[in-house]
Amino acid sequence: VYEGRIHVYNSTCSTFFAPSDLSGIHGMCHEYIHSCPMWRNAGPCYDCVFIVTNPQSEDMSSLDVAHILCFFFIQVSRNPLPMHSYSLV
């Protein structure tokens, strides 16, 4: 049973290397991923992501699609670091 605090947030930035897209610094890219119950007062915005479910495969069949429902982080020990970030899909 976890008895500490859970911090929920609505977006995060993912930084990754995309060798086929050289528009960033030598293929480095970043994307903001949103999980907002109310986006610009117009309703919810839950972005989709790809999740690697079969690391042995090198094609698109190794990926599944998921909606991000929530981002949160928890503190595992009394030490303020490290914080562990998670996503609920």
Side-chain angles (χ1 to χ4, degrees):
V1 175
Y2 179 73
E3 296 179 358
R5 290 185 178 192
I6 298 176
H7 304 271
V8 177
Y9 50 102
N10 291 331
S11 64
T12 190
C13 183
S14 175
T15 303
F16 54 93
F17 179 68
S20 62
D21 183 8
L22 298 178
S23 61
I25 299 175
H26 305 293
M28 291 302 295
C29 299
H30 69 274
E31 291 282 333
Y32 287 95
I33 306 168
H34 299 96
S35 174
C36 302
M38 184 61 69
W39 176 256
R40 299 183 181 188
N41 294 324
C45 175
Y46 299 107
D47 285 349
C48 291
V49 295
F50 287 116
I51 299 174
V52 176
T53 54
N54 183 6
Q56 286 76 29
S57 179
E58 294 183 8
D59 58 5
M60 290 294 290
S61 67
S62 67
L63 303 173
D64 285 342
V65 178
H67 265 126
I68 300 291
L69 300 177
C70 177
F71 296 109
F72 61 97
F73 65 88
I74 60 174
Q75 185 175 336
V76 176
S77 65
R78 293 190 186 270
N79 185 357
L81 294 175
M83 295 293 243
H84 295 275
S85 297
Y86 299 96
S87 301
L88 177 65
V89 295

